[in-house]
């Protein structure tokens, strides 16, 4: 599925090709902190299927609970998160933040990860299976 997106202020714009069946929710504590909310919704995209149309995101490197380093990208003007990926180059997958996508209403998550960190007050989410972690 071809998608388009941008940050809140419009300084960054992009297009990508994603598989809507791979949209997922992450409940890890890093995603909670970095999104400022209860979880993050992500659409995976191969790096070669992502096209930056405008702007240049800033980045922040975090170390995950697993020890893996992850690059978080965001708009330096409005702060909107854009995507996350592994550190390095070539063959990466970009975890596009679904809230930045124009087609977000069409992208219901199919899986959930890091359920052990899910907030206790969240209701079950229909249509999304749970992955173990």
């Amino acid at each position: 599925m071809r998608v388009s997106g941008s940050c809140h202020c419009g300084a960054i714009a992009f297009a990508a090709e994603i598989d809507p069946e791979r949209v997922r929710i992450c409940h890890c504590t890093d995603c909670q902190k970095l999104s400022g909310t209860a979880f993050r919704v992500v659409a995976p995209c191969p790096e070669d299927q992502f096209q930056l149309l405008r702007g240049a995101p800033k980045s922040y490197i975090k170390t995950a609970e697993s020890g893996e380093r992850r690059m978080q990208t965001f708009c330096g003007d409005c702060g909107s998160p854009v995507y996350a990926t592994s550190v390095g180059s070539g063959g990466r997958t970009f975890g596009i933040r679904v809230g930045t996508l124009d087609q977000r209403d069409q992208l219901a998550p199919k899986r959930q990860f890091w359920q052990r960190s899910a907030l206790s007050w969240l209701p079950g989410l229909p249509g999304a299976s749970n992955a173990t972690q």
Side-chain angles (χ1 to χ4, degrees), residues 46-120:
E47 181 176 14
D48 65 357
Q49 297 295 310
F50 182 90
Q51 180 184 14
L52 190 61
L53 302 174
R54 182 174 57 246
K58 293 194 179 245
S59 65
Y60 164 73
I61 307 295
K62 71 148 182 124
T63 302
E65 185 179 317
S66 66
E68 183 180 358
R69 292 169 23 107
R70 300 281 297 160
M71 179 172 60
Q72 310 291 310
T73 68
F74 58 95
C75 175
D77 295 329
C78 69
S80 296
V82 179
Y83 65 84
T85 191
S86 54
V87 175
S89 61
R92 300 180 298 178
T93 297
F94 287 7
I96 300 172
R97 305 330 192 187
V98 169
T100 63
L101 295 174
D102 299 327
Q103 299 79 10
R104 61 188 165 267
D105 188 48
Q106 301 169 40
L107 298 170
K110 305 296 186 203
R111 299 201 61 198
Q112 298 184 75
F113 293 87
W114 290 98
Q115 282 293 105
R116 71 177 183 221
S117 302
L119 300 177
S120 62

Side-chain angles (χ1 to χ4, degrees), residues 15-37:
E17 190 69 35
I18 66 158
D19 178 354
E21 295 300 311
R22 295 190 64 219
V23 174
R24 61 192 70 175
I25 292 172
C26 183
H27 292 279
C28 80
T29 56
D30 284 346
C31 281
Q32 291 170 6
K33 286 262 187 181
L34 288 164
S35 68
T37 191

